[in-house]
Amino acid sequence: MAGNTTPTDFGNPVINWIDKRLPVFTMMQKEYGVFPTPRNFNYLWNFGAIAMVMLMVMIASGLVLAMHYTADTKLSFNVVERIMRDVDYGWLVRYIHMNGASMFFIAVYVHIFRGLYYGSYKQPRELLWILGVLILLLMMATAFMGYVLPWGQMSFWGATVITNLFSAIPLIGDTIVTWLWGGFSVDNPTLTRFFALHFLLPFVILGVVFLHIAALHVSGSNNPLGIEPKSDKDTVPFSPYYTVKDLFGVCVFLIIYAAFVFYAPNYMGHPDNYTPANPMVTPPHIVPEWYFLPFYAILRSFTIDIVIPFTDIIIISSKLGGVLLMFGSIAMMFILPWLDTSPVRSARFRPLYQKFFWLHLAVCITLGFMGAKPPEGIYTVISQICTFLYFAHYLIVLPLLNKYEKPLPLPPSIHEAILAQKK
Amino acid sequence: MGNPHSHGAQCSHDAPQKHGQEECPDNGHDESKRDFIFISAASMAAVGTGVVAWPFVATLGPAKDTLALSTTEIDLSPIQEGQAVTVMWRGKPVFIRRRTAQDIELARKVDGDATAFNSLRDKQKDTDRVKQSTFGGKEMPQWLVMVGVCTHLGCVPMGQKPTDMRGDFDGWFCPCHGSHYDSAGRIRKGPAPHNLAVPTYTFLSENRIRIG
């Protein structure tokens, strides 16, 4: 970056002095000022910037909360209540952090489905996409551990259920779980290590986000047409066009976020988590936070043991099967760039893919609703059908579409497509 | 190192590529020696990293004080027939149920019926799940002692209180993911892979047990 930049005159001697020695201003000018960006972004392209703002909000509010928090099974629940009642504006910062997690996931899920619709994961952006999936995984780990910290009933039982997933690993599973817990159940050692990791992981996320953006600035952004910009007519400088558009989107998003914080701060939470953790009583209905529900439904959809025929030897127990499916559902996203090899990116020009995209979105949302239901009767059946459809989308539909779909003709360039639309 | 008598500085180990076309008879010998040094240095570095990493990994396991809390004694005399109590052992609930004759009969019916027994996911006879050792000349199949943690994902099943749901087999029911256990604590329906675990315990007297 630094090697091939020529000194820019910023008209301010102090800035020039710094820039000559450490060209941060030149870099910002290049990457965020004049950076050529496709001129046809729609509002879905706001969600990367929105997610970035949410990460900052979470780090800032989390830092303040950490200054008042104590990780101890005897104290944590009360200490969080103290933040809510006694610390000046503690309630505000905690509600910002609590709802911020949900809003961060909303932003990221929209960002992901935008990528799916417009084929943003395709060549040459595979690594950019994979870094994004990695960020999602890190976010899930961070959110899960953060939810344990208030040490309510859902904290405790959520932690118990999720850490027990690892006991499904054959032979060494139980040893691993004991090691994860630092004891024979979720207890103080578990809480303290979760706090340490919950503090660390956001900075790891920040690091991966930096790589994600660095990779983005190598390939440039995708756009709703899914064709690469061919000339200056196809692009506009990032600033002021998209700085302003992103700011507008961020403002709208923050208004919705503030509405939750001030008017429905517990809407996305569970009342059970305002009951102190009790290792002797499981709440009748354990549900994870809404952003995990589709994965939770997939976990519970595997209800049979796979055995070697005519023997009792179980190859895959229903428990291991569920865990494999759940991790498999995320693995699908990692290998997606190699499952969908159609050269056409945007679903606008892929009539069949477009239909399957909406089906896939409906399947994911249905799985979310099923994850919140008790695992019995019709709910299990619907979860199983949707789990099948989820995997079928990646492993059957996408490879078949590569072969049989006939895409619509692509426009010659972005600006010609826009001009044609105007007529 | 090397063989300075025959080659001098031109065949130095550091820069064999500088020889150009000039023959350097000792080259092959040098290369294999360098490989050996590389491999042994890398192996030592790997071993050293492992040795340093191990204490960090080991700190996360159960500490001595956690391990020390591993036995507990329980007085059974206040428990009436049909009643159940839950006690804490190693941070986990332990279920103790004083089963009725009907509970025992229901469980043992499966023991005797070959098809029913073979349909069990985790095949265990009821007689193997209770202490058969006698104390004061009495058998004690009424006492069922189990770790009250669902073998699926670790929830505490319901069925200890008289008002709780007991599932389809009149034993325990796990509300998290719908596992049904029978009156011997055996998994009969739902995702759990194993029967409720029977901890190590001994009868200290007719009315007293020690778990752990």
Side-chain angles (χ1 to χ4, degrees), chain A residues 164 179 184 193 280 282 284 296 300 305 318-319, chain B residues 57 60 92 121 151-153 156 175 177 191:
Chain A
N164 261 308
W179 177 76
F184 302 103
R193 67 189 56 179
M280 307 299 269
T282 310
Y296 196 57
R300 301 189 305 182
D305 295 326
S318 57
K319 176 170 159 181
Chain B
V57 174
L60 297 178
K92 289 177 186 170
R121 182 174 297 160
T151 55
H152 182 228
L153 292 174
V156 177
H177 307 96

mmCIF file with all atom_site columns, all heavy atoms in Angstrom, chain A residues 164 179 184 193 280 282 284 296 300 305 318-319, chain B residues 57 60 92 121 151-153 156 175 177 191:
data_model
loop_
_atom_site.group_PDB
_atom_site.id
_atom_site.type_symbol
_atom_site.label_atom_id
_atom_site.label_alt_id
_atom_site.label_comp_id
_atom_site.label_asym_id
_atom_site.label_entity_id
_atom_site.label_seq_id
_atom_site.pdbx_PDB_ins_code
_atom_site.Cartn_x
_atom_site.Cartn_y
_atom_site.Cartn_z
_atom_site.occupancy
_atom_site.B_iso_or_equiv
_atom_site.pdbx_formal_charge
_atom_site.auth_seq_id
_atom_site.auth_comp_id
_atom_site.auth_asym_id
_atom_site.auth_atom_id
_atom_site.pdbx_PDB_model_num
ATOM 1   N N   . ASN A 1 164 ? -22.767 -29.129 25.824 1.00 0.00 ? 164 ASN A N   1
ATOM 2   C CA  . ASN A 1 164 ? -23.004 -30.568 25.706 1.00 0.00 ? 164 ASN A CA  1
ATOM 3   C C   . ASN A 1 164 ? -22.991 -31.058 24.271 1.00 0.00 ? 164 ASN A C   1
ATOM 4   O O   . ASN A 1 164 ? -22.897 -32.260 24.030 1.00 0.00 ? 164 ASN A O   1
ATOM 5   C CB  . ASN A 1 164 ? -24.331 -30.946 26.369 1.00 0.00 ? 164 ASN A CB  1
ATOM 6   C CG  . ASN A 1 164 ? -24.128 -31.503 27.757 1.00 0.00 ? 164 ASN A CG  1
ATOM 7   O OD1 . ASN A 1 164 ? -23.333 -32.421 27.953 1.00 0.00 ? 164 ASN A OD1 1
ATOM 8   N ND2 . ASN A 1 164 ? -24.806 -30.946 28.724 1.00 0.00 ? 164 ASN A ND2 1
ATOM 9   N N   . TRP A 1 179 ? -13.389 -30.588 30.160 1.00 0.00 ? 179 TRP A N   1
ATOM 10  C CA  . TRP A 1 179 ? -12.319 -29.602 29.973 1.00 0.00 ? 179 TRP A CA  1
ATOM 11  C C   . TRP A 1 179 ? -12.898 -28.220 29.645 1.00 0.00 ? 179 TRP A C   1
ATOM 12  O O   . TRP A 1 179 ? -12.443 -27.209 30.188 1.00 0.00 ? 179 TRP A O   1
ATOM 13  C CB  . TRP A 1 179 ? -11.388 -30.099 28.859 1.00 0.00 ? 179 TRP A CB  1
ATOM 14  C CG  . TRP A 1 179 ? -10.291 -29.153 28.523 1.00 0.00 ? 179 TRP A CG  1
ATOM 15  C CD1 . TRP A 1 179 ? -9.152  -28.930 29.252 1.00 0.00 ? 179 TRP A CD1 1
ATOM 16  C CD2 . TRP A 1 179 ? -10.206 -28.305 27.378 1.00 0.00 ? 179 TRP A CD2 1
ATOM 17  N NE1 . TRP A 1 179 ? -8.387  -27.979 28.621 1.00 0.00 ? 179 TRP A NE1 1
ATOM 18  C CE2 . TRP A 1 179 ? -8.997  -27.586 27.480 1.00 0.00 ? 179 TRP A CE2 1
ATOM 19  C CE3 . TRP A 1 179 ? -11.029 -28.072 26.279 1.00 0.00 ? 179 TRP A CE3 1
ATOM 20  C CZ2 . TRP A 1 179 ? -8.589  -26.662 26.517 1.00 0.00 ? 179 TRP A CZ2 1
ATOM 21  C CZ3 . TRP A 1 179 ? -10.629 -27.158 25.326 1.00 0.00 ? 179 TRP A CZ3 1
ATOM 22  C CH2 . TRP A 1 179 ? -9.422  -26.470 25.444 1.00 0.00 ? 179 TRP A CH2 1
ATOM 23  N N   . PHE A 1 184 ? -17.431 -30.538 36.512 1.00 0.00 ? 184 PHE A N   1
ATOM 24  C CA  . PHE A 1 184 ? -18.362 -31.581 36.104 1.00 0.00 ? 184 PHE A CA  1
ATOM 25  C C   . PHE A 1 184 ? -19.716 -31.027 35.695 1.00 0.00 ? 184 PHE A C   1
ATOM 26  O O   . PHE A 1 184 ? -20.644 -31.762 35.415 1.00 0.00 ? 184 PHE A O   1
ATOM 27  C CB  . PHE A 1 184 ? -18.498 -32.620 37.211 1.00 0.00 ? 184 PHE A CB  1
ATOM 28  C CG  . PHE A 1 184 ? -17.177 -33.232 37.555 1.00 0.00 ? 184 PHE A CG  1
ATOM 29  C CD1 . PHE A 1 184 ? -16.489 -32.865 38.700 1.00 0.00 ? 184 PHE A CD1 1
ATOM 30  C CD2 . PHE A 1 184 ? -16.582 -34.133 36.685 1.00 0.00 ? 184 PHE A CD2 1
ATOM 31  C CE1 . PHE A 1 184 ? -15.248 -33.399 38.985 1.00 0.00 ? 184 PHE A CE1 1
ATOM 32  C CE2 . PHE A 1 184 ? -15.341 -34.671 36.957 1.00 0.00 ? 184 PHE A CE2 1
ATOM 33  C CZ  . PHE A 1 184 ? -14.672 -34.300 38.115 1.00 0.00 ? 184 PHE A CZ  1
ATOM 34  N N   . ARG A 1 193 ? -14.181 -18.132 32.320 1.00 0.00 ? 193 ARG A N   1
ATOM 35  C CA  . ARG A 1 193 ? -13.509 -18.246 31.022 1.00 0.00 ? 193 ARG A CA  1
ATOM 36  C C   . ARG A 1 193 ? -14.388 -17.680 29.908 1.00 0.00 ? 193 ARG A C   1
ATOM 37  O O   . ARG A 1 193 ? -13.879 -17.122 28.942 1.00 0.00 ? 193 ARG A O   1
ATOM 38  C CB  . ARG A 1 193 ? -13.086 -19.685 30.733 1.00 0.00 ? 193 ARG A CB  1
ATOM 39  C CG  . ARG A 1 193 ? -14.203 -20.667 30.530 1.00 0.00 ? 193 ARG A CG  1
ATOM 40  C CD  . ARG A 1 193 ? -13.700 -22.095 30.477 1.00 0.00 ? 193 ARG A CD  1
ATOM 41  N NE  . ARG A 1 193 ? -12.935 -22.435 31.681 1.00 0.00 ? 193 ARG A NE  1
ATOM 42  C CZ  . ARG A 1 193 ? -12.404 -23.618 31.897 1.00 0.00 ? 193 ARG A CZ  1
ATOM 43  N NH1 . ARG A 1 193 ? -12.538 -24.576 31.012 1.00 0.00 ? 193 ARG A NH1 1
ATOM 44  N NH2 . ARG A 1 193 ? -11.728 -23.872 33.000 1.00 0.00 ? 193 ARG A NH2 1
ATOM 45  N N   . MET A 1 280 ? -30.444 -27.026 39.477 1.00 0.00 ? 280 MET A N   1
ATOM 46  C CA  . MET A 1 280 ? -31.297 -28.161 39.808 1.00 0.00 ? 280 MET A CA  1
ATOM 47  C C   . MET A 1 280 ? -32.604 -28.161 39.018 1.00 0.00 ? 280 MET A C   1
ATOM 48  O O   . MET A 1 280 ? -33.320 -29.142 39.023 1.00 0.00 ? 280 MET A O   1
ATOM 49  C CB  . MET A 1 280 ? -31.635 -28.155 41.304 1.00 0.00 ? 280 MET A CB  1
ATOM 50  C CG  . MET A 1 280 ? -30.422 -28.081 42.198 1.00 0.00 ? 280 MET A CG  1
ATOM 51  S SD  . MET A 1 280 ? -29.338 -29.489 41.979 1.00 0.00 ? 280 MET A SD  1
ATOM 52  C CE  . MET A 1 280 ? -30.010 -30.562 43.221 1.00 0.00 ? 280 MET A CE  1
ATOM 53  N N   . THR A 1 282 ? -34.428 -27.235 35.294 1.00 0.00 ? 282 THR A N   1
ATOM 54  C CA  . THR A 1 282 ? -34.387 -26.757 33.916 1.00 0.00 ? 282 THR A CA  1
ATOM 55  C C   . THR A 1 282 ? -35.697 -26.049 33.616 1.00 0.00 ? 282 THR A C   1
ATOM 56  O O   . THR A 1 282 ? -36.757 -26.586 33.916 1.00 0.00 ? 282 THR A O   1
ATOM 57  C CB  . THR A 1 282 ? -34.240 -27.939 32.954 1.00 0.00 ? 282 THR A CB  1
ATOM 58  O OG1 . THR A 1 282 ? -33.173 -28.746 33.397 1.00 0.00 ? 282 THR A OG1 1
ATOM 59  C CG2 . THR A 1 282 ? -33.962 -27.465 31.553 1.00 0.00 ? 282 THR A CG2 1
ATOM 60  N N   . PRO A 1 284 ? -38.994 -25.144 31.743 1.00 0.00 ? 284 PRO A N   1
ATOM 61  C CA  . PRO A 1 284 ? -39.749 -26.098 30.920 1.00 0.00 ? 284 PRO A CA  1
ATOM 62  C C   . PRO A 1 284 ? -39.477 -25.959 29.432 1.00 0.00 ? 284 PRO A C   1
ATOM 63  O O   . PRO A 1 284 ? -39.599 -26.913 28.687 1.00 0.00 ? 284 PRO A O   1
ATOM 64  C CB  . PRO A 1 284 ? -41.204 -25.778 31.242 1.00 0.00 ? 284 PRO A CB  1
ATOM 65  C CG  . PRO A 1 284 ? -41.193 -24.529 32.037 1.00 0.00 ? 284 PRO A CG  1
ATOM 66  C CD  . PRO A 1 284 ? -39.843 -24.359 32.620 1.00 0.00 ? 284 PRO A CD  1
ATOM 67  N N   . TYR A 1 296 ? -30.852 -24.151 15.687 1.00 0.00 ? 296 TYR A N   1
ATOM 68  C CA  . TYR A 1 296 ? -31.382 -24.981 16.766 1.00 0.00 ? 296 TYR A CA  1
ATOM 69  C C   . TYR A 1 296 ? -32.410 -25.964 16.207 1.00 0.00 ? 296 TYR A C   1
ATOM 70  O O   . TYR A 1 296 ? -32.436 -27.140 16.584 1.00 0.00 ? 296 TYR A O   1
ATOM 71  C CB  . TYR A 1 296 ? -32.011 -24.068 17.813 1.00 0.00 ? 296 TYR A CB  1
ATOM 72  C CG  . TYR A 1 296 ? -32.270 -24.697 19.151 1.00 0.00 ? 296 TYR A CG  1
ATOM 73  C CD1 . TYR A 1 296 ? -31.236 -25.280 19.883 1.00 0.00 ? 296 TYR A CD1 1
ATOM 74  C CD2 . TYR A 1 296 ? -33.542 -24.696 19.711 1.00 0.00 ? 296 TYR A CD2 1
ATOM 75  C CE1 . TYR A 1 296 ? -31.472 -25.832 21.109 1.00 0.00 ? 296 TYR A CE1 1
ATOM 76  C CE2 . TYR A 1 296 ? -33.783 -25.244 20.950 1.00 0.00 ? 296 TYR A CE2 1
ATOM 77  C CZ  . TYR A 1 296 ? -32.755 -25.816 21.658 1.00 0.00 ? 296 TYR A CZ  1
ATOM 78  O OH  . TYR A 1 296 ? -32.998 -26.360 22.893 1.00 0.00 ? 296 TYR A OH  1
ATOM 79  N N   . ARG A 1 300 ? -32.283 -30.170 16.204 1.00 0.00 ? 300 ARG A N   1
ATOM 80  C CA  . ARG A 1 300 ? -33.279 -31.057 16.781 1.00 0.00 ? 300 ARG A CA  1
ATOM 81  C C   . ARG A 1 300 ? -34.007 -31.911 15.744 1.00 0.00 ? 300 ARG A C   1
ATOM 82  O O   . ARG A 1 300 ? -34.802 -32.765 16.104 1.00 0.00 ? 300 ARG A O   1
ATOM 83  C CB  . ARG A 1 300 ? -34.312 -30.231 17.548 1.00 0.00 ? 300 ARG A CB  1
ATOM 84  C CG  . ARG A 1 300 ? -33.682 -29.424 18.650 1.00 0.00 ? 300 ARG A CG  1
ATOM 85  C CD  . ARG A 1 300 ? -34.724 -28.800 19.527 1.00 0.00 ? 300 ARG A CD  1
ATOM 86  N NE  . ARG A 1 300 ? -35.666 -27.992 18.783 1.00 0.00 ? 300 ARG A NE  1
ATOM 87  C CZ  . ARG A 1 300 ? -36.658 -27.309 19.345 1.00 0.00 ? 300 ARG A CZ  1
ATOM 88  N NH1 . ARG A 1 300 ? -36.825 -27.356 20.632 1.00 0.00 ? 300 ARG A NH1 1
ATOM 89  N NH2 . ARG A 1 300 ? -37.472 -26.584 18.620 1.00 0.00 ? 300 ARG A NH2 1
ATOM 90  N N   . ASP A 1 305 ? -31.465 -42.934 15.002 1.00 0.00 ? 305 ASP A N   1
ATOM 91  C CA  . ASP A 1 305 ? -30.096 -43.430 15.005 1.00 0.00 ? 305 ASP A CA  1
ATOM 92  C C   . ASP A 1 305 ? -29.839 -44.137 13.686 1.00 0.00 ? 305 ASP A C   1
ATOM 93  O O   . ASP A 1 305 ? -30.699 -44.857 13.188 1.00 0.00 ? 305 ASP A O   1
ATOM 94  C CB  . ASP A 1 305 ? -29.902 -44.449 16.128 1.00 0.00 ? 305 ASP A CB  1
ATOM 95  C CG  . ASP A 1 305 ? -30.068 -43.815 17.487 1.00 0.00 ? 305 ASP A CG  1
ATOM 96  O OD1 . ASP A 1 305 ? -29.696 -42.639 17.622 1.00 0.00 ? 305 ASP A OD1 1
ATOM 97  O OD2 . ASP A 1 305 ? -30.569 -44.492 18.395 1.00 0.00 ? 305 ASP A OD2 1
ATOM 98  N N   . SER A 1 318 ? -28.588 -40.162 17.077 1.00 0.00 ? 318 SER A N   1
ATOM 99  C CA  . SER A 1 318 ? -29.370 -38.997 16.683 1.00 0.00 ? 318 SER A CA  1
ATOM 100 C C   . SER A 1 318 ? -28.740 -37.725 17.240 1.00 0.00 ? 318 SER A C   1
ATOM 101 O O   . SER A 1 318 ? -28.815 -36.660 16.644 1.00 0.00 ? 318 SER A O   1
ATOM 102 C CB  . SER A 1 318 ? -30.806 -39.137 17.174 1.00 0.00 ? 318 SER A CB  1
ATOM 103 O OG  . SER A 1 318 ? -30.831 -39.315 18.559 1.00 0.00 ? 318 SER A OG  1
ATOM 104 N N   . LYS A 1 319 ? -28.048 -37.854 18.391 1.00 0.00 ? 319 LYS A N   1
ATOM 105 C CA  . LYS A 1 319 ? -27.400 -36.684 18.989 1.00 0.00 ? 319 LYS A CA  1
ATOM 106 C C   . LYS A 1 319 ? -26.245 -36.201 18.115 1.00 0.00 ? 319 LYS A C   1
ATOM 107 O O   . LYS A 1 319 ? -26.169 -35.033 17.747 1.00 0.00 ? 319 LYS A O   1
ATOM 108 C CB  . LYS A 1 319 ? -26.901 -37.090 20.371 1.00 0.00 ? 319 LYS A CB  1
ATOM 109 C CG  . LYS A 1 319 ? -26.113 -36.053 21.117 1.00 0.00 ? 319 LYS A CG  1
ATOM 110 C CD  . LYS A 1 319 ? -25.923 -36.547 22.536 1.00 0.00 ? 319 LYS A CD  1
ATOM 111 C CE  . LYS A 1 319 ? -24.776 -35.892 23.226 1.00 0.00 ? 319 LYS A CE  1
ATOM 112 N NZ  . LYS A 1 319 ? -24.617 -36.406 24.591 1.00 0.00 ? 319 LYS A NZ  1
ATOM 113 N N   . VAL B 2 57  ? -3.225  -25.345 28.416 1.00 0.00 ? 57  VAL B N   1
ATOM 114 C CA  . VAL B 2 57  ? -4.412  -26.165 28.159 1.00 0.00 ? 57  VAL B CA  1
ATOM 115 C C   . VAL B 2 57  ? -4.896  -26.793 29.463 1.00 0.00 ? 57  VAL B C   1
ATOM 116 O O   . VAL B 2 57  ? -6.090  -26.826 29.762 1.00 0.00 ? 57  VAL B O   1
ATOM 117 C CB  . VAL B 2 57  ? -4.074  -27.250 27.109 1.00 0.00 ? 57  VAL B CB  1
ATOM 118 C CG1 . VAL B 2 57  ? -5.241  -28.211 26.937 1.00 0.00 ? 57  VAL B CG1 1
ATOM 119 C CG2 . VAL B 2 57  ? -3.719  -26.596 25.789 1.00 0.00 ? 57  VAL B CG2 1
ATOM 120 N N   . LEU B 2 60  ? -7.286  -25.252 32.157 1.00 0.00 ? 60  LEU B N   1
ATOM 121 C CA  . LEU B 2 60  ? -8.726  -25.191 31.899 1.00 0.00 ? 60  LEU B CA  1
ATOM 122 C C   . LEU B 2 60  ? -9.477  -26.426 32.400 1.00 0.00 ? 60  LEU B C   1
ATOM 123 O O   . LEU B 2 60  ? -10.690 -26.424 32.457 1.00 0.00 ? 60  LEU B O   1
ATOM 124 C CB  . LEU B 2 60  ? -8.982  -24.986 30.398 1.00 0.00 ? 60  LEU B CB  1
ATOM 125 C CG  . LEU B 2 60  ? -8.443  -23.678 29.821 1.00 0.00 ? 60  LEU B CG  1
ATOM 126 C CD1 . LEU B 2 60  ? -8.707  -23.598 28.336 1.00 0.00 ? 60  LEU B CD1 1
ATOM 127 C CD2 . LEU B 2 60  ? -9.034  -22.477 30.516 1.00 0.00 ? 60  LEU B CD2 1
ATOM 128 N N   . LYS B 2 92  ? -24.213 -31.381 39.992 1.00 0.00 ? 92  LYS B N   1
ATOM 129 C CA  . LYS B 2 92  ? -25.297 -31.930 39.172 1.00 0.00 ? 92  LYS B CA  1
ATOM 130 C C   . LYS B 2 92  ? -26.371 -32.492 40.083 1.00 0.00 ? 92  LYS B C   1
ATOM 131 O O   . LYS B 2 92  ? -26.067 -32.963 41.177 1.00 0.00 ? 92  LYS B O   1
ATOM 132 C CB  . LYS B 2 92  ? -24.774 -33.093 38.326 1.00 0.00 ? 92  LYS B CB  1
ATOM 133 C CG  . LYS B 2 92  ? -23.875 -32.711 37.216 1.00 0.00 ? 92  LYS B CG  1
ATOM 134 C CD  . LYS B 2 92  ? -23.396 -33.983 36.536 1.00 0.00 ? 92  LYS B CD  1
ATOM 135 C CE  . LYS B 2 92  ? -22.372 -33.639 35.488 1.00 0.00 ? 92  LYS B CE  1
ATOM 136 N NZ  . LYS B 2 92  ? -21.705 -34.814 34.972 1.00 0.00 ? 92  LYS B NZ  1
ATOM 137 N N   . ARG B 2 121 ? -32.961 -48.667 23.228 1.00 0.00 ? 121 ARG B N   1
ATOM 138 C CA  . ARG B 2 121 ? -31.809 -48.060 22.564 1.00 0.00 ? 121 ARG B CA  1
ATOM 139 C C   . ARG B 2 121 ? -30.524 -48.415 23.302 1.00 0.00 ? 121 ARG B C   1
ATOM 140 O O   . ARG B 2 121 ? -29.504 -48.694 22.719 1.00 0.00 ? 121 ARG B O   1
ATOM 141 C CB  . ARG B 2 121 ? -31.983 -46.547 22.518 1.00 0.00 ? 121 ARG B CB  1
ATOM 142 C CG  . ARG B 2 121 ? -30.847 -45.859 21.802 1.00 0.00 ? 121 ARG B CG  1
ATOM 143 C CD  . ARG B 2 121 ? -31.106 -44.389 21.629 1.00 0.00 ? 121 ARG B CD  1
ATOM 144 N NE  . ARG B 2 121 ? -32.265 -44.157 20.790 1.00 0.00 ? 121 ARG B NE  1
ATOM 145 C CZ  . ARG B 2 121 ? -32.952 -43.003 20.775 1.00 0.00 ? 121 ARG B CZ  1
ATOM 146 N NH1 . ARG B 2 121 ? -32.571 -42.010 21.548 1.00 0.00 ? 121 ARG B NH1 1
ATOM 147 N NH2 . ARG B 2 121 ? -33.983 -42.853 19.986 1.00 0.00 ? 121 ARG B NH2 1
ATOM 148 N N   . THR B 2 151 ? -29.109 -37.401 28.906 1.00 0.00 ? 151 THR B N   1
ATOM 149 C CA  . THR B 2 151 ? -27.895 -37.758 28.181 1.00 0.00 ? 151 THR B CA  1
ATOM 150 C C   . THR B 2 151 ? -27.866 -37.150 26.786 1.00 0.00 ? 151 THR B C   1
ATOM 151 O O   . THR B 2 151 ? -26.922 -37.360 26.038 1.00 0.00 ? 151 THR B O   1
ATOM 152 C CB  . THR B 2 151 ? -27.749 -39.291 28.072 1.00 0.00 ? 151 THR B CB  1
ATOM 153 O OG1 . THR B 2 151 ? -28.945 -39.808 27.472 1.00 0.00 ? 151 THR B OG1 1
ATOM 154 C CG2 . THR B 2 151 ? -27.554 -39.906 29.428 1.00 0.00 ? 151 THR B CG2 1
ATOM 155 N N   . HIS B 2 152 ? -28.895 -36.409 26.439 1.00 0.00 ? 152 HIS B N   1
ATOM 156 C CA  . HIS B 2 152 ? -28.870 -35.712 25.152 1.00 0.00 ? 152 HIS B CA  1
ATOM 157 C C   . HIS B 2 152 ? -28.000 -34.474 25.271 1.00 0.00 ? 152 HIS B C   1
ATOM 158 O O   . HIS B 2 152 ? -26.821 -34.510 24.929 1.00 0.00 ? 152 HIS B O   1
ATOM 159 C CB  . HIS B 2 152 ? -30.300 -35.357 24.709 1.00 0.00 ? 152 HIS B CB  1
ATOM 160 C CG  . HIS B 2 152 ? -30.361 -34.688 23.386 1.00 0.00 ? 152 HIS B CG  1
ATOM 161 N ND1 . HIS B 2 152 ? -31.088 -33.548 23.173 1.00 0.00 ? 152 HIS B ND1 1
ATOM 162 C CD2 . HIS B 2 152 ? -29.766 -34.976 22.216 1.00 0.00 ? 152 HIS B CD2 1
ATOM 163 C CE1 . HIS B 2 152 ? -30.946 -33.175 21.921 1.00 0.00 ? 152 HIS B CE1 1
ATOM 164 N NE2 . HIS B 2 152 ? -30.157 -34.024 21.325 1.00 0.00 ? 152 HIS B NE2 1
ATOM 165 N N   . LEU B 2 153 ? -28.553 -33.399 25.835 1.00 0.00 ? 153 LEU B N   1
ATOM 166 C CA  . LEU B 2 153 ? -27.750 -32.190 25.924 1.00 0.00 ? 153 LEU B CA  1
ATOM 167 C C   . LEU B 2 153 ? -27.712 -31.612 27.331 1.00 0.00 ? 153 LEU B C   1
ATOM 168 O O   . LEU B 2 153 ? -27.469 -30.424 27.524 1.00 0.00 ? 153 LEU B O   1
ATOM 169 C CB  . LEU B 2 153 ? -28.238 -31.150 24.917 1.00 0.00 ? 153 LEU B CB  1
ATOM 170 C CG  . LEU B 2 153 ? -27.995 -31.552 23.452 1.00 0.00 ? 153 LEU B CG  1
ATOM 171 C CD1 . LEU B 2 153 ? -28.618 -30.556 22.507 1.00 0.00 ? 153 LEU B CD1 1
ATOM 172 C CD2 . LEU B 2 153 ? -26.518 -31.695 23.143 1.00 0.00 ? 153 LEU B CD2 1
ATOM 173 N N   . VAL B 2 156 ? -32.151 -31.049 32.920 1.00 0.00 ? 156 VAL B N   1
ATOM 174 C CA  . VAL B 2 156 ? -32.644 -31.858 34.026 1.00 0.00 ? 156 VAL B CA  1
ATOM 175 C C   . VAL B 2 156 ? -34.060 -32.314 33.664 1.00 0.00 ? 156 VAL B C   1
ATOM 176 O O   . VAL B 2 156 ? -34.956 -31.492 33.522 1.00 0.00 ? 156 VAL B O   1
ATOM 177 C CB  . VAL B 2 156 ? -32.669 -31.044 35.327 1.00 0.00 ? 156 VAL B CB  1
ATOM 178 C CG1 . VAL B 2 156 ? -33.249 -31.875 36.458 1.00 0.00 ? 156 VAL B CG1 1
ATOM 179 C CG2 . VAL B 2 156 ? -31.269 -30.578 35.680 1.00 0.00 ? 156 VAL B CG2 1
ATOM 180 N N   . PRO B 2 175 ? -37.826 -31.828 29.019 1.00 0.00 ? 175 PRO B N   1
ATOM 181 C CA  . PRO B 2 175 ? -38.596 -30.830 28.282 1.00 0.00 ? 175 PRO B CA  1
ATOM 182 C C   . PRO B 2 175 ? -37.798 -30.165 27.148 1.00 0.00 ? 175 PRO B C   1
ATOM 183 O O   . PRO B 2 175 ? -38.387 -29.577 26.252 1.00 0.00 ? 175 PRO B O   1
ATOM 184 C CB  . PRO B 2 175 ? -38.945 -29.798 29.355 1.00 0.00 ? 175 PRO B CB  1
ATOM 185 C CG  . PRO B 2 175 ? -37.865 -29.912 30.369 1.00 0.00 ? 175 PRO B CG  1
ATOM 186 C CD  . PRO B 2 175 ? -37.438 -31.346 30.361 1.00 0.00 ? 175 PRO B CD  1
ATOM 187 N N   . HIS B 2 177 ? -35.656 -31.382 24.658 1.00 0.00 ? 177 HIS B N   1
ATOM 188 C CA  . HIS B 2 177 ? -35.744 -31.938 23.323 1.00 0.00 ? 177 HIS B CA  1
ATOM 189 C C   . HIS B 2 177 ? -36.589 -33.189 23.276 1.00 0.00 ? 177 HIS B C   1
ATOM 190 O O   . HIS B 2 177 ? -36.478 -33.997 22.360 1.00 0.00 ? 177 HIS B O   1
ATOM 191 C CB  . HIS B 2 177 ? -34.346 -32.194 22.760 1.00 0.00 ? 177 HIS B CB  1
ATOM 192 C CG  . HIS B 2 177 ? -33.479 -30.982 22.822 1.00 0.00 ? 177 HIS B CG  1
ATOM 193 N ND1 . HIS B 2 177 ? -32.606 -30.753 23.846 1.00 0.00 ? 177 HIS B ND1 1
ATOM 194 C CD2 . HIS B 2 177 ? -33.406 -29.902 22.023 1.00 0.00 ? 177 HIS B CD2 1
ATOM 195 C CE1 . HIS B 2 177 ? -32.028 -29.584 23.668 1.00 0.00 ? 177 HIS B CE1 1
ATOM 196 N NE2 . HIS B 2 177 ? -32.482 -29.046 22.579 1.00 0.00 ? 177 HIS B NE2 1
ATOM 197 N N   . PRO B 2 191 ? -34.384 -38.019 21.517 1.00 0.00 ? 191 PRO B N   1
ATOM 198 C CA  . PRO B 2 191 ? -33.038 -37.999 20.954 1.00 0.00 ? 191 PRO B CA  1
ATOM 199 C C   . PRO B 2 191 ? -31.912 -38.480 21.858 1.00 0.00 ? 191 PRO B C   1
ATOM 200 O O   . PRO B 2 191 ? -30.803 -38.693 21.376 1.00 0.00 ? 191 PRO B O   1
ATOM 201 C CB  . PRO B 2 191 ? -32.835 -36.512 20.633 1.00 0.00 ? 191 PRO B CB  1
ATOM 202 C CG  . PRO B 2 191 ? -33.711 -35.791 21.596 1.00 0.00 ? 191 PRO B CG  1
ATOM 203 C CD  . PRO B 2 191 ? -34.882 -36.688 21.865 1.00 0.00 ? 191 PRO B CD  1
#
